[in-house]
Amino acid sequence: MSSYDDQDAFEAASLSARAMAARPMPYLDELNPAQRDAVEALDGPVLMLAGAGTGKTKALTTRIVHLLNTGRARPNEILSVTFTNKAAREMKERVGRLLGQAIEGMPWMGTFHSICVKLLRRHAELVGLKSNFTILDTDDQLRLLKQLVAASNIDDKRWPARALAGVIDHWKNRAWTPDNIPASEAGAYNGRGVDLYAQYQVRLKELNAVDFGDLLLHVVWIFQQHQDVLEQYQRWFKYILVDEYQDTNVAQYLWLRLLAGGHKNICCVGDDDQSIYGWRGAEVGNILRFEKDFPGAKVVRLEQNYRSTPHILKAASGVIRGNEGRLGKELWTEAEDGEKVRLIGHWDGDEEARWVGEEIEAMQKGTRGMRPFSLNEMAILVRASHQMRAFEDRFLTIGLPYLVIGGPRFYERLEIRDAMAYFRLVVSPDDDLAFERIYNAPRRGLGEKAFQKIQMTARSNGVSLVDGSRILLESKGIGGKGAVELSRLIEGLDRWGRMVGSPEVSHIELAEIVLDESGYTAMWQNDKTPEAPGRLENLKELVKALEGFENLQGFLEHVSLIMDNDKSDQGEKVSIMTLHAAKGLEFPAVFLPGWEDGLFPSQRSMDESGIKGLEEERRLAYVGITRAEELCTISFAGNRRVFGQWQSNLPSRFIDELPEEHVEVLTPPGLYGGGYGAASGGIESRVAEADVYNSPGWRRMQSRSQQRPVSQPKETKNQVIDLQATSSHTMGERVFHQKFGYGEIVGIEGDKLEIAFEKAGTKKVVARFVCGPDDIPF
DNA sequence: GGCTGGCCCATTTTT
DNA sequence: TGGGCCAGCC
């Protein structure tokens, strides 16, 4: 192997010698029995089933330290895979801390993708690539696919390139190469999918490029076709560790199986109950099948939870119990009981947002008989990002600082991508996709027509777009302002290219020169739109980020794989994010709004994936609840505006699955008085109205609303109506609904009425939301 | 070649 | 309801 690895080996030897001297192993004493079990079972396959908050990272990192400490492996002989860069970074830090020194010598700790890049650079020629291949982001990928779709005379209205990208992505996740697609998929993308996939792969090879899926796919292919290469790595990686195993897709699974095929020293850590990425190719089956794949595997369950109170854990358990085919785990804790999970219903989404805002303010002050919570300790977790809007609007109105986590990442922003395209071109002028991105940014008077000319010239001469431009300019195939600007761009690229690696110009200076001389910075300086200053700010930040690298190439490599943006925002803020984004995080107080059937569980999930989809939604609910340390508040709204249309929803079926002894119902009586068990009809009236009135939560609500009215006039009105309209409805009765107007009852099902509205069509609504036509309060 | 109005559509997202 | 995208106009 390369000298790089020898260097690692050297460090490893000295490091492990030092570590050996440090025996006995105090780190083992810090573990509970199950964790210790998982750490000490070093040889052979191990499945560590680690529930939420059970100290999985601790076990994993200690295991690595133990491997080193016992002399089983040197740092560069351990393959340790995660899904995100963040997880990899955290793991490195924690191993370093345990060892008492930074670990430079673990080159094989990283994401699936970053490790695959390393492997593929070494063996690129085996798949017909050069080792300096570029990694395309989704944007480049889409542009390429659009070209292919256009060339195939396909109506991209009916068959958008985006859909094709989805299909190809799906196939790559399953490790299907174009000649390998099952017949059942032949109809994909109007029957052209397989053909276009093949074309796409050819184009990628021509461009000396790969997409994210290829990173794994190519390496798996190499391992399958070149036994010698595979064996080399099987020997080299003496121990394999995998984090979040429940999230692996088929390609990743094959990759791991191939690498572990020799010694089978593989330790997979995961939680089948937290598998929430099925829609992007993850296979829960991988973790469920582990013992079959690796006979004699040791299975260790981490069930002692160090995060949440018993009420929270039991509520979460109650929900997840509804799933079939689980490996089975029951979390427990030594913590004090704490607060029950709180449940509250609201009239509509706006009211829900208003209530959450006020509740957060109240909790900050430490009212409600609880300790004060700082804003940083609270989070709102939603199913879909469009739900965030109501909260943002509300928080802006009341001046509550918040932070949306997720959203467009730094490196996905337009200006950053443009700047990166410039850098890519400077480093490798053959990068046609980069050229296509910036040839007219800033505006150079080069439009579609000019680009086509460049493209044709390049094609017919078999050269890159940059060289095609040169030929076109020489042959005067293009004139006017465009020609002047184009030749200036090409000259610039040549000039900047010569500065790469120059001792006089640092790569940071070079980046500044490129952005200035190309006119890119000026473009945003002259831009009057409100976003322009922010974009300039981002560009500055980009240049600053270069400081951490030795050269532009190193930076580009890094960025193509690392899309994190570290939002180190100062000041206390409530976090708002999706449930997916919340996985792996924890907060003392968590709000889970929007628990309505159709929204959560999502209708689309259920329609598309049936019971499988519903189970994944249920796992999402489980993930949500288990993010909370001390206080978890679930809420739902009877009405919500969806695409501008009012829609009436039933409370989520997951609400019925919450064990009542761990739930405190805050819902004001009358607003949703039938008890939260009403949706299934199974646990009807277990929260009788009298109980609700007497519940401490309701009393607290009452006392608080005297200090500051929670209810807006509109809502108070409804409460009054609702109390009068206690569910004694009859078929055919004419009723009135606040949002839908007049209608006739055509079905009664417990607490729910099916009503044929005169204007809004037939809908199911909770009885409390309608009243007789004579009771209309206005 | 750039702007604007109308049309269509509308989870979850990492690398 | 609102954002992204395209066609058609200047």
Side-chain angles (χ1 to χ4, degrees):
Chain A
M1 295 210 182
S2 70
S3 61
Y4 176 51
D5 292 291
D6 295 338
Q7 177 65 25
D8 294 335
F10 175 76
E11 280 172 28
S14 66
L15 188 143
S16 87
R18 236 173 305 160
M20 294 289 270
R23 275 183 297 179
M25 304 155 177
Y27 51 84
L28 289 180
D29 299 331
E30 316 240 321
L31 304 173
N32 67 35
Q35 289 171 335
R36 189 161 176 159
D37 228 21
V39 166
E40 292 193 302
L42 291 179
D43 299 306
V46 175
L47 177 61
M48 201 195 296
L49 283 175
T54 54
K56 140 199 109 156
T57 312
K58 184 179 187 179
L60 204 49
T61 48
T62 309
R63 190 183 162 90
I64 291 172
V65 170
H66 200 46
L67 282 169
L68 298 171
N69 219 5
T70 53
R72 286 285 210 299
R74 296 173 293 174
N76 60 343
E77 291 168 340
I78 297 174
L79 175 66
S80 173
V81 213
T82 60
F83 272 85
T84 64
N85 292 295
K86 197 172 151 219
R89 210 183 314 127
E90 274 171 18
M91 203 132 92
K92 270 188 187 167
E93 277 168 19
R94 286 181 72 161
V95 172
R97 228 179 300 147
L98 275 170
L99 283 172
Q101 64 190 99
I103 40 158
E104 299 297 326
M106 290 204 63
W108 301 106
M109 181 181 278
T111 62
F112 277 102
H113 295 269
S114 69
I115 290 169
C116 281
V117 172
K118 265 192 203 175
L119 295 173
L120 195 55
R121 294 241 186 258
R122 294 178 172 195
H123 305 285
E125 78 289 346
L126 295 179
V127 287
L129 291 167
K130 287 181 272 177
S131 76
N132 64 346
F133 59 81
T134 38
I135 304 162
L136 303 188
D137 61 25
T138 34
D139 226 47
D140 297 323
Q141 192 187 359
L142 202 61
R143 206 143 359 106
L144 203 52
L145 286 172
K146 272 187 184 153
Q147 291 171 5
L148 292 174
V149 169
S152 306
N153 287 321
I154 288 171
D155 177 10
D156 63 348
K157 284 264 161 35
R158 283 189 60 197
W159 307 99
R162 197 172 285 280
L164 178 60
V167 170
I168 291 178
D169 196 51
H170 175 71
W171 288 342
K172 288 189 173 178
N173 284 338
R174 311 207 66 107
W176 291 335
T177 49
D179 49 6
N180 209 0
I181 309 274
S184 58
E185 303 276 315
Y189 195 68
N190 199 20
R192 305 289 303 276
V194 181
D195 175 37
L196 283 162
Y197 178 22
Q199 287 184 39
Y200 172 65
Q201 292 305 103
V202 170
R203 276 298 283 149
L204 286 175
K205 218 159 268 187
E206 285 168 6
L207 288 163
N208 191 33
V210 299
D211 63 19
F212 286 121
D214 282 340
L215 290 173
L216 272 140
L217 204 53
H218 284 326
V219 174
V220 166
W221 190 87
I222 291 170
F223 285 165
Q224 285 170 337
Q225 304 297 318
H226 299 270
Q227 190 66 24
D228 53 323
V229 177
L230 174 63
E231 282 171 7
Q232 179 192 347
Y233 289 104
Q234 283 180 336
R235 279 193 301 273
W236 186 260
F237 299 131
K238 294 200 171 128
Y239 290 87
I240 300 173
L241 295 96
V242 190
D243 195 13
E244 306 279 16
Y245 189 60
Q246 77 282 353
D247 289 338
T248 49
N249 61 34
V250 173
Q252 289 156 339
Y253 166 81
L254 290 173
W255 189 87
L256 288 169
R257 276 200 68 173
L258 286 162
L259 282 171
H263 47 62
K264 303 206 168 58
N265 289 327
I266 182 167
C267 173
C268 293
V269 186
D271 182 357
D272 50 321
D273 291 335
Q274 291 188 67
S275 163
I276 55 174
Y277 286 109
W279 51 273
R280 73 177 194 211
E283 290 279 339
V284 218
N286 292 347
I287 193 166
L288 300 177
R289 214 177 38 228
F290 188 83
E291 288 174 87
K292 277 199 200 106
D293 288 336
F294 296 98
K298 183 178 175 75
V299 180
V300 183
R301 286 181 164 75
L302 304 191
E303 296 177 296
Q304 181 176 4
N305 174 288
Y306 298 95
R307 179 185 294 156
S308 316
T309 63
H311 281 311
I312 291 170
L313 290 184
K314 286 182 183 143
S317 294
V319 172
I320 199 65
R321 211 171 293 142
N323 274 6
E324 307 239 323
R326 298 169 56 220
L327 290 170
K329 263 183 293 66
E330 191 82 18
L331 299 183
W332 59 277
T333 174
E334 290 173 351
E336 300 282 315
D337 265 5
E339 297 282 326
K340 290 186 176 179
V341 169
R342 306 185 305 169
L343 176 66
I344 183 163
H346 301 279
W347 167 252
D348 63 18
D350 294 338
E351 167 61 24
E352 182 183 53
R354 195 181 308 130
W355 184 82
V356 169
E358 278 163 9
E359 186 63 12
I360 286 172
E361 287 180 332
M363 284 168 60
Q364 251 187 308
K365 296 194 189 91
T367 53
R368 311 186 112 302
M370 277 177 268
R371 73 173 181 91
F373 289 84
S374 89
L375 292 179
N376 286 340
E377 291 179 309
M378 299 188 264
I380 299 166
L381 312 182
V382 297
R383 175 72 234 300
S385 44
H386 64 78
Q387 290 173 260
M388 296 179 182
R389 199 193 169 111
F391 293 97
E392 290 194 64
D393 284 352
R394 183 65 197 154
F395 294 173
L396 283 171
T397 318
I398 61 175
L400 185 70
Y402 69 89
L403 179 64
V404 172
I405 313 263
R409 277 165 292 280
F410 185 70
Y411 288 109
E412 281 173 12
R413 290 178 194 160
L414 175 112
E415 67 277 15
I416 300 301
R417 287 196 146 139
D418 285 347
M420 298 291 298
Y422 272 106
F423 299 162
R424 274 160 63 182
L425 268 179
V426 169
V427 172
S428 42
D430 290 347
D431 194 329
D432 284 356
L433 287 163
F435 181 84
E436 192 185 338
R437 173 154 199 121
I438 55 86
Y439 73 90
N440 201 30
R443 304 261 130 89
R444 294 191 171 89
L446 300 165
E448 190 56 33
K449 227 173 55 198
F451 182 70
Q452 274 170 9
K453 274 190 200 165
I454 296 171
Q455 210 172 25
M456 273 165 61
T457 315
R459 277 248 170 106
S460 57
N461 287 278
V463 295
S464 69
L465 293 176
V466 168
D467 287 335
S469 305
R470 270 188 242 277
I471 297 170
L472 191 66
L473 285 165
E474 265 168 42
S475 65
K476 300 265 188 294
I478 182 171
K481 180 177 175 265
V484 177
E485 290 284 331
L486 181 62
S487 66
R488 189 181 291 169
L489 173 66
I490 301 292
E491 279 161 25
L493 287 172
D494 288 342
R495 191 170 60 251
W496 307 321
R498 284 194 296 272
M499 293 185 204
V500 175
S502 140
E504 278 129 62
V505 187
S506 78
H507 64 292
I508 298 168
E509 289 167 316
L510 176 56
E512 282 167 344
I513 290 172
V514 171
L515 293 180
D516 288 345
E517 293 186 0
S518 64
Y520 193 74
T521 319
M523 173 179 113
W524 290 115
Q525 280 163 347
N526 298 331
D527 192 298
K528 297 287 180 292
T529 58
E531 301 94 68
R535 296 196 194 271
L536 284 165
E537 204 51 45
N538 288 337
L539 288 172
K540 261 193 217 153
E541 230 175 278
L542 178 72
V543 173
K544 222 175 117 202
L546 281 164
E547 286 170 14
F549 294 83
E550 281 181 19
N551 52 46
L552 270 185
Q553 292 95 319
F555 179 70
L556 291 172
E557 167 92 22
H558 170 84
V559 166
S560 57
L561 288 173
I562 299 192
M563 292 288 199
D564 293 356
N565 52 336
D566 298 315
K567 269 192 192 146
S568 49
D569 250 283
Q570 61 282 70
E572 292 204 346
K573 285 173 178 154
V574 186
S575 301
I576 307 177
M577 68 189 91
T578 63
L579 286 161
H580 284 92
K583 196 170 95 162
L585 305 179
E586 55 187 19
F587 297 90
V590 165
F591 289 89
L592 301 172
W595 280 42
E596 296 125 42
D597 247 52
L599 181 60
F600 187 46
S602 130
Q603 193 58 51
R604 190 156 162 189
S605 235
M606 294 188 290
D607 290 348
E608 283 174 6
S609 315
I611 195 81
K612 243 180 123 188
L614 176 64
E615 294 208 335
E616 184 154 310
E617 295 286 307
R618 190 176 280 117
R619 291 192 289 267
L620 211 42
Y622 176 79
V623 167
I625 298 170
T626 53
R627 296 312 96 193
E629 294 170 8
E630 295 170 48
L631 189 64
C632 178
T633 310
I634 295 170
S635 60
F636 61 91
N639 302 285
R640 205 174 279 281
R641 212 165 18 188
V642 184
F643 309 140
Q645 213 80 51
W646 280 100
Q647 194 182 300
S648 168
N649 298 308
L650 302 177
S652 169
R653 64 193 72 190
F654 299 149
I655 286 178
D656 300 322
E657 298 171 4
L658 296 165
E660 69 178 285
E661 61 274 29
H662 302 294
V663 176
E664 178 185 18
V665 181
L666 299 186
T667 301
L671 189 59
Y672 186 64
Y676 63 88
S680 70
I683 332 169
E684 187 70 45
S685 81
R686 62 187 180 183
V687 188
E689 280 200 9
D691 289 344
V692 177
Y693 274 117
N694 286 322
S695 79
W698 172 239
R699 281 202 304 272
R700 257 182 285 169
M701 286 278 299
Q702 289 291 75
S703 67
R704 196 161 66 78
S705 44
Q706 272 154 26
Q707 297 158 17
R708 176 162 31 120
V710 172
S711 319
Q712 301 293 315
K714 180 182 80 180
E715 189 219 4
T716 317
K717 227 159 32 190
N718 288 314
Q719 266 173 256
V720 174
I721 304 162
D722 294 332
L723 280 171
Q724 291 167 344
T726 351
S727 77
S728 52
H729 292 286
T730 50
M731 291 288 281
E733 188 185 339
R734 186 172 148 86
V735 289
F736 179 81
H737 184 280
Q738 184 96 25
K739 289 266 152 59
F740 302 132
Y742 292 98
E744 187 181 310
I745 298 181
V746 294
I748 302 177
E749 193 186 312
D751 202 32
K752 258 134 267 138
L753 303 175
E754 197 171 355
I755 299 168
F757 289 103
E758 287 164 8
K759 298 224 171 82
T762 303
K763 292 180 190 304
K764 273 193 182 174
V765 298
V766 177
R768 303 283 157 170
F769 288 134
V770 301
C771 58
D774 303 330
D775 301 324
I776 299 160
F778 41 83

